[in-house]
Amino acid sequence: MKKRFMALFLSLLFLLGTVAEVYAAEDFTPRENLNYNLTALDESIVSTAAKGRSKVLIFFSSGCYNCKYMLGLFKNTTKPLDDVDVIAAELNYGVEKERTEAFYNQYGTDKVTYCYGAAAAGWAYLDAVQPDSYKFTTPLVVYINRNNQIVQYTTGMDRDILNHIETYLPTSSPEDGDGGDSSEEKPAPGTDTGSDGNPPEKEPEHEHQYKTTVNQATLSKNGSVEKKCTECGFVADTKVIYYPKTIKLEKTEYTYNGKICKPSVSITDSMGNKIDGNSYSVAYSKNKNVGTATAVIKFKGNYSGTVKKTFTIRPKATSISRLSAKSKGISLKWKKQTSQVTGYQIQYSTSSKFTKGKTSIVTVNKNKTTSRTISRLKAKKKYYVRIRTYKNVKINGKTLKIYSNWSKTKTVVTKR
């Protein structure tokens, strides 16, 4: 009973500690934002330095009850957040990937963009608002106005987060000439004001002139598609182009049939997603006759680089048509194959698995030959026999044999 009481008491102290740190600074001077690009769970890039819209950054841990409660407010709220971007960033996604994604599935909402890989960003934001700090209680919430300034922050549970958004980050801009209304952004405590008691006028905003730039992904490095204003440098959108990690041919072996062989290509990026065929072209060579053929994959569009893949075209196989026993020997006949065939290779063994030491090979170097007698074998011994074709092919200046598949194995017992 005492142990349960102590555990409950310590939990209560911890909760009170988190609430005590909610309002970290009453007289807070707006600070400039930091520029961080966070990767969302859908792999898009979210910039925390984008001007023109207010932002709320919530650095959370998927194992934190306070975080679940606070983000649950956004899921159930009916309050408008038209001009406020809310970004919830997991501090420890790499370790808690499955729990983070389960957390997103439960608390995810179109009002919130969920990001990961944000531990460094979280510490940097805290250091900006609370220099020389060494820890904080999750969630850390940073409020950033339309001028890209940090105007307030909290650590721990912020039960009034929706009200704070209305206070520090109004969801709509005042109409020109209306003299300002309740939607006008209120100056944060400590903000410099002019002689009339109002904040100094902001520089007029310009209409962004965007240009989309593609930085191609290479065979080993990601690229990006960036939408950026040519006048002020504001980056409105950045998407990652993941590099092609796995490049495979549908088939790596063919049997010669007199036709051109063109195996299809399958390519997936470093995230396991299939890359569309419009992003590359394939050129084939030496892909009809027996030998080694080539497929050259050349990337284009969002990708750059060239990859060479090879595949083999084997000669057509043959089969044993008759196998008979002789005195300490065997005699066999097979089906003739002359098209793209140089000769035959006969293999016989006392082992059904053709193990080394119990197996011998006879090479027939004329493709028109269809029979052979093998002597000097053991009397009254069972032999396993099979045959295949081959063709001599020059590859890189060297003559190599390209073999067909083996025929079905037949057995025979030699005579005395």
Side-chain angles (χ1 to χ4, degrees), residues 212-233:
T212 299
T213 303
V214 177
N215 300 307
Q216 292 177 311
T218 67
L219 297 176
S220 60
K221 187 177 180 181
N222 294 337
S224 64
V225 178
E226 186 178 71
K227 184 179 178 182
K228 186 176 183 180
C229 178
T230 56
E231 294 187 19
C232 68

PDB file of all heavy atoms in Angstrom, residues 212-233:
ATOM      1  N   THR A 212      10.243  27.158 -59.926  1.00  0.00           N
ATOM      2  CA  THR A 212      10.458  25.784 -59.463  1.00  0.00           C
ATOM      3  C   THR A 212      11.783  25.257 -60.016  1.00  0.00           C
ATOM      4  O   THR A 212      12.011  25.298 -61.230  1.00  0.00           O
ATOM      5  CB  THR A 212       9.312  24.860 -59.915  1.00  0.00           C
ATOM      6  OG1 THR A 212       8.082  25.341 -59.350  1.00  0.00           O
ATOM      7  CG2 THR A 212       9.548  23.434 -59.433  1.00  0.00           C
ATOM      8  N   THR A 213      12.642  24.819 -59.127  1.00  0.00           N
ATOM      9  CA  THR A 213      13.953  24.308 -59.505  1.00  0.00           C
ATOM     10  C   THR A 213      14.056  22.833 -59.137  1.00  0.00           C
ATOM     11  O   THR A 213      13.723  22.446 -58.020  1.00  0.00           O
ATOM     12  CB  THR A 213      15.083  25.079 -58.787  1.00  0.00           C
ATOM     13  OG1 THR A 213      14.962  26.471 -59.089  1.00  0.00           O
ATOM     14  CG2 THR A 213      16.451  24.586 -59.228  1.00  0.00           C
ATOM     15  N   VAL A 214      14.521  22.029 -60.091  1.00  0.00           N
ATOM     16  CA  VAL A 214      14.700  20.601 -59.856  1.00  0.00           C
ATOM     17  C   VAL A 214      16.187  20.300 -59.673  1.00  0.00           C
ATOM     18  O   VAL A 214      16.991  20.576 -60.569  1.00  0.00           O
ATOM     19  CB  VAL A 214      14.143  19.763 -61.021  1.00  0.00           C
ATOM     20  CG1 VAL A 214      14.414  18.272 -60.794  1.00  0.00           C
ATOM     21  CG2 VAL A 214      12.652  20.002 -61.184  1.00  0.00           C
ATOM     22  N   ASN A 215      16.535  19.795 -58.512  1.00  0.00           N
ATOM     23  CA  ASN A 215      17.881  19.283 -58.266  1.00  0.00           C
ATOM     24  C   ASN A 215      17.805  17.762 -58.389  1.00  0.00           C
ATOM     25  O   ASN A 215      17.263  17.086 -57.521  1.00  0.00           O
ATOM     26  CB  ASN A 215      18.364  19.689 -56.866  1.00  0.00           C
ATOM     27  CG  ASN A 215      18.412  21.189 -56.692  1.00  0.00           C
ATOM     28  OD1 ASN A 215      19.016  21.901 -57.477  1.00  0.00           O
ATOM     29  ND2 ASN A 215      17.745  21.693 -55.659  1.00  0.00           N
ATOM     30  N   GLN A 216      18.308  17.248 -59.493  1.00  0.00           N
ATOM     31  CA  GLN A 216      18.127  15.838 -59.804  1.00  0.00           C
ATOM     32  C   GLN A 216      18.746  14.922 -58.745  1.00  0.00           C
ATOM     33  O   GLN A 216      19.814  15.211 -58.210  1.00  0.00           O
ATOM     34  CB  GLN A 216      18.744  15.507 -61.162  1.00  0.00           C
ATOM     35  CG  GLN A 216      18.017  16.136 -62.351  1.00  0.00           C
ATOM     36  CD  GLN A 216      18.732  15.835 -63.653  1.00  0.00           C
ATOM     37  OE1 GLN A 216      19.937  16.014 -63.773  1.00  0.00           O
ATOM     38  NE2 GLN A 216      17.981  15.354 -64.637  1.00  0.00           N
ATOM     39  N   ALA A 217      18.050  13.824 -58.479  1.00  0.00           N
ATOM     40  CA  ALA A 217      18.619  12.781 -57.629  1.00  0.00           C
ATOM     41  C   ALA A 217      19.621  11.989 -58.456  1.00  0.00           C
ATOM     42  O   ALA A 217      19.398  11.725 -59.633  1.00  0.00           O
ATOM     43  CB  ALA A 217      17.518  11.867 -57.109  1.00  0.00           C
ATOM     44  N   THR A 218      20.744  11.630 -57.842  1.00  0.00           N
ATOM     45  CA  THR A 218      21.748  10.811 -58.527  1.00  0.00           C
ATOM     46  C   THR A 218      21.542   9.346 -58.147  1.00  0.00           C
ATOM     47  O   THR A 218      20.563   8.997 -57.494  1.00  0.00           O
ATOM     48  CB  THR A 218      23.167  11.261 -58.151  1.00  0.00           C
ATOM     49  OG1 THR A 218      23.395  10.975 -56.746  1.00  0.00           O
ATOM     50  CG2 THR A 218      23.339  12.759 -58.379  1.00  0.00           C
ATOM     51  N   LEU A 219      22.470   8.502 -58.522  1.00  0.00           N
ATOM     52  CA  LEU A 219      22.352   7.086 -58.205  1.00  0.00           C
ATOM     53  C   LEU A 219      22.609   6.795 -56.736  1.00  0.00           C
ATOM     54  O   LEU A 219      22.348   5.682 -56.265  1.00  0.00           O
ATOM     55  CB  LEU A 219      23.327   6.270 -59.073  1.00  0.00           C
ATOM     56  CG  LEU A 219      23.078   6.338 -60.585  1.00  0.00           C
ATOM     57  CD1 LEU A 219      24.158   5.572 -61.324  1.00  0.00           C
ATOM     58  CD2 LEU A 219      21.702   5.794 -60.927  1.00  0.00           C
ATOM     59  N   SER A 220      23.112   7.782 -55.986  1.00  0.00           N
ATOM     60  CA  SER A 220      23.414   7.541 -54.574  1.00  0.00           C
ATOM     61  C   SER A 220      22.993   8.680 -53.652  1.00  0.00           C
ATOM     62  O   SER A 220      23.188   8.601 -52.444  1.00  0.00           O
ATOM     63  CB  SER A 220      24.928   7.304 -54.406  1.00  0.00           C
ATOM     64  OG  SER A 220      25.667   8.433 -54.858  1.00  0.00           O
ATOM     65  N   LYS A 221      22.397   9.746 -54.218  1.00  0.00           N
ATOM     66  CA  LYS A 221      22.071  10.912 -53.401  1.00  0.00           C
ATOM     67  C   LYS A 221      20.695  11.446 -53.765  1.00  0.00           C
ATOM     68  O   LYS A 221      20.341  11.521 -54.942  1.00  0.00           O
ATOM     69  CB  LYS A 221      23.131  12.000 -53.620  1.00  0.00           C
ATOM     70  CG  LYS A 221      22.996  13.197 -52.692  1.00  0.00           C
ATOM     71  CD  LYS A 221      24.125  14.190 -52.939  1.00  0.00           C
ATOM     72  CE  LYS A 221      24.008  15.407 -52.028  1.00  0.00           C
ATOM     73  NZ  LYS A 221      25.086  16.394 -52.278  1.00  0.00           N
ATOM     74  N   ASN A 222      19.921  11.822 -52.736  1.00  0.00           N
ATOM     75  CA  ASN A 222      18.596  12.385 -52.969  1.00  0.00           C
ATOM     76  C   ASN A 222      18.662  13.735 -53.667  1.00  0.00           C
ATOM     77  O   ASN A 222      19.643  14.468 -53.521  1.00  0.00           O
ATOM     78  CB  ASN A 222      17.845  12.563 -51.645  1.00  0.00           C
ATOM     79  CG  ASN A 222      17.513  11.252 -50.973  1.00  0.00           C
ATOM     80  OD1 ASN A 222      17.440  10.220 -51.622  1.00  0.00           O
ATOM     81  ND2 ASN A 222      17.308  11.291 -49.666  1.00  0.00           N
ATOM     82  N   GLY A 223      17.635  14.059 -54.404  1.00  0.00           N
ATOM     83  CA  GLY A 223      17.499  15.376 -55.018  1.00  0.00           C
ATOM     84  C   GLY A 223      16.304  16.095 -54.385  1.00  0.00           C
ATOM     85  O   GLY A 223      15.796  15.695 -53.353  1.00  0.00           O
ATOM     86  N   SER A 224      15.862  17.178 -55.037  1.00  0.00           N
ATOM     87  CA  SER A 224      14.728  17.915 -54.490  1.00  0.00           C
ATOM     88  C   SER A 224      14.059  18.738 -55.588  1.00  0.00           C
ATOM     89  O   SER A 224      14.673  19.067 -56.607  1.00  0.00           O
ATOM     90  CB  SER A 224      15.180  18.847 -53.359  1.00  0.00           C
ATOM     91  OG  SER A 224      16.063  19.846 -53.854  1.00  0.00           O
ATOM     92  N   VAL A 225      12.784  19.070 -55.351  1.00  0.00           N
ATOM     93  CA  VAL A 225      12.044  20.022 -56.183  1.00  0.00           C
ATOM     94  C   VAL A 225      11.690  21.180 -55.272  1.00  0.00           C
ATOM     95  O   VAL A 225      10.980  21.010 -54.284  1.00  0.00           O
ATOM     96  CB  VAL A 225      10.771  19.398 -56.782  1.00  0.00           C
ATOM     97  CG1 VAL A 225      10.021  20.428 -57.601  1.00  0.00           C
ATOM     98  CG2 VAL A 225      11.123  18.192 -57.638  1.00  0.00           C
ATOM     99  N   GLU A 226      12.205  22.379 -55.588  1.00  0.00           N
ATOM    100  CA  GLU A 226      12.056  23.534 -54.710  1.00  0.00           C
ATOM    101  C   GLU A 226      11.273  24.637 -55.401  1.00  0.00           C
ATOM    102  O   GLU A 226      11.582  25.030 -56.523  1.00  0.00           O
ATOM    103  CB  GLU A 226      13.438  24.049 -54.296  1.00  0.00           C
ATOM    104  CG  GLU A 226      13.411  25.165 -53.272  1.00  0.00           C
ATOM    105  CD  GLU A 226      14.804  25.612 -52.863  1.00  0.00           C
ATOM    106  OE1 GLU A 226      15.480  26.241 -53.707  1.00  0.00           O
ATOM    107  OE2 GLU A 226      15.218  25.325 -51.739  1.00  0.00           O
ATOM    108  N   LYS A 227      10.240  25.121 -54.719  1.00  0.00           N
ATOM    109  CA  LYS A 227       9.451  26.251 -55.203  1.00  0.00           C
ATOM    110  C   LYS A 227       9.880  27.474 -54.404  1.00  0.00           C
ATOM    111  O   LYS A 227       9.601  27.578 -53.205  1.00  0.00           O
ATOM    112  CB  LYS A 227       7.959  25.984 -55.015  1.00  0.00           C
ATOM    113  CG  LYS A 227       7.050  27.072 -55.575  1.00  0.00           C
ATOM    114  CD  LYS A 227       5.591  26.699 -55.360  1.00  0.00           C
ATOM    115  CE  LYS A 227       4.655  27.797 -55.880  1.00  0.00           C
ATOM    116  NZ  LYS A 227       3.236  27.462 -55.625  1.00  0.00           N
ATOM    117  N   LYS A 228      10.557  28.429 -55.067  1.00  0.00           N
ATOM    118  CA  LYS A 228      11.206  29.531 -54.362  1.00  0.00           C
ATOM    119  C   LYS A 228      10.896  30.861 -55.036  1.00  0.00           C
ATOM    120  O   LYS A 228      10.837  30.954 -56.270  1.00  0.00           O
ATOM    121  CB  LYS A 228      12.728  29.285 -54.357  1.00  0.00           C
ATOM    122  CG  LYS A 228      13.550  30.266 -53.545  1.00  0.00           C
ATOM    123  CD  LYS A 228      15.013  29.824 -53.560  1.00  0.00           C
ATOM    124  CE  LYS A 228      15.878  30.727 -52.708  1.00  0.00           C
ATOM    125  NZ  LYS A 228      17.298  30.298 -52.730  1.00  0.00           N
ATOM    126  N   CYS A 229      10.686  31.900 -54.203  1.00  0.00           N
ATOM    127  CA  CYS A 229      10.436  33.241 -54.734  1.00  0.00           C
ATOM    128  C   CYS A 229      11.735  33.824 -55.271  1.00  0.00           C
ATOM    129  O   CYS A 229      12.754  33.844 -54.574  1.00  0.00           O
ATOM    130  CB  CYS A 229       9.855  34.149 -53.647  1.00  0.00           C
ATOM    131  SG  CYS A 229       9.562  35.851 -54.209  1.00  0.00           S
ATOM    132  N   THR A 230      11.702  34.329 -56.491  1.00  0.00           N
ATOM    133  CA  THR A 230      12.908  34.874 -57.120  1.00  0.00           C
ATOM    134  C   THR A 230      13.279  36.249 -56.561  1.00  0.00           C
ATOM    135  O   THR A 230      14.388  36.717 -56.772  1.00  0.00           O
ATOM    136  CB  THR A 230      12.710  34.984 -58.646  1.00  0.00           C
ATOM    137  OG1 THR A 230      11.551  35.787 -58.914  1.00  0.00           O
ATOM    138  CG2 THR A 230      12.532  33.613 -59.270  1.00  0.00           C
ATOM    139  N   GLU A 231      12.338  36.912 -55.842  1.00  0.00           N
ATOM    140  CA  GLU A 231      12.607  38.251 -55.314  1.00  0.00           C
ATOM    141  C   GLU A 231      13.135  38.229 -53.884  1.00  0.00           C
ATOM    142  O   GLU A 231      14.109  38.891 -53.563  1.00  0.00           O
ATOM    143  CB  GLU A 231      11.337  39.103 -55.391  1.00  0.00           C
ATOM    144  CG  GLU A 231      10.887  39.395 -56.818  1.00  0.00           C
ATOM    145  CD  GLU A 231       9.734  40.377 -56.855  1.00  0.00           C
ATOM    146  OE1 GLU A 231       9.521  41.084 -55.847  1.00  0.00           O
ATOM    147  OE2 GLU A 231       9.050  40.443 -57.882  1.00  0.00           O
ATOM    148  N   CYS A 232      12.479  37.441 -53.019  1.00  0.00           N
ATOM    149  CA  CYS A 232      12.872  37.468 -51.606  1.00  0.00           C
ATOM    150  C   CYS A 232      13.527  36.185 -51.126  1.00  0.00           C
ATOM    151  O   CYS A 232      14.046  36.135 -50.007  1.00  0.00           O
ATOM    152  CB  CYS A 232      11.662  37.773 -50.728  1.00  0.00           C
ATOM    153  SG  CYS A 232      10.430  36.435 -50.721  1.00  0.00           S
ATOM    154  N   GLY A 233      13.508  35.160 -51.960  1.00  0.00           N
ATOM    155  CA  GLY A 233      14.136  33.909 -51.566  1.00  0.00           C
ATOM    156  C   GLY A 233      13.273  33.018 -50.702  1.00  0.00           C
ATOM    157  O   GLY A 233      13.728  31.975 -50.239  1.00  0.00           O
TER     158      GLY A 233
END
